[in-house]
Amino acid sequence: MAPAKLGLAVFISGSGSNLQAIIDACQNADFPAKIKLVISNIPGAYGLERAKNAGIPAATIPHKDFKNRADFEDALQKELSNYDIDLICLAGFMRILTSEFIEKWPHKIINTHPALLPKFGGKGMFGEHVHKAVLEAGETESGSTIHFVIPDVDKGEIILQRKVHVLADDNIETLAARVLEQEHIAYPEAIRQIAQNLEHDN
Ligand code: GRF
């Protein structure tokens, strides 16, 4: 009897290209996970279209509709409680989760960061800010980091990293695009590793 697949909830805020990479990986019968829910904090995020096209239940929970972070996160938890979720995957999700939320999901939230943590991480290091900082620092390499989420932003245990060279003529766009390519490989691989480790632990 094949072990049950890891139930994933994927949180997005935008394009959802990392979500798409996970959707595509789940098409393989031997991939040890299944996306049960997609949540976007941004109405109309293209990632919602990707979920719809893949027949995956999706919810839009706009953080702007709530008077504070706790109420927003209560709405997230309520939606999650409707599904059997083993792992929350932050994929281009642009909100910082509180320690109260994270502590309800110990070692069960992962995130993709578009740089080689522990370098170029922390609050405010989102999207193009990261690549700008890497270029300004004159780094010769960058890449994608998939890590567990703890209250201290971008400081959780690293699961895996995939590197890219920083080219002399790189700008933010070209570097971001090359890192994104590696994220799309790293994210499903990290999920596979977590599922396999959990199987071994059981
Ligand atoms: C990615 O580079 C991710 O690291 C960052 O947002 C970018 C877009 O992600 N957090 P996606 O296309 O929405 O998955």
Side-chain angles (χ1 to χ4, degrees), residues 22-38:
I22 301 168
I23 289 171
D24 296 346
C26 289
Q27 300 307 315
N28 301 323
D30 71 349
F31 191 70
K34 173 181 168 53
I35 304 173
K36 297 191 174 171
L37 171 65
V38 170

Side-chain angles (χ1 to χ4, degrees), residues 16-72:
S17 70
N18 281 289
L19 164 65
Q20 189 63 56
I22 301 168
I23 289 171
D24 296 346
C26 289
Q27 300 307 315
N28 301 323
D30 71 349
F31 191 70
K34 173 181 168 53
I35 304 173
K36 297 191 174 171
L37 171 65
V38 170
I39 295 179
S40 173
N41 66 305
I42 303 294
Y46 185 64
L48 291 165
E49 192 67 20
R50 297 180 194 269
K52 181 166 167 249
N53 294 339
I56 299 169
T60 300
I61 303 178
H63 61 284
K64 289 200 171 87
D65 287 3
F66 300 87
K67 61 182 185 303
N68 57 47
R69 208 175 278 269
D71 288 357
F72 166 60

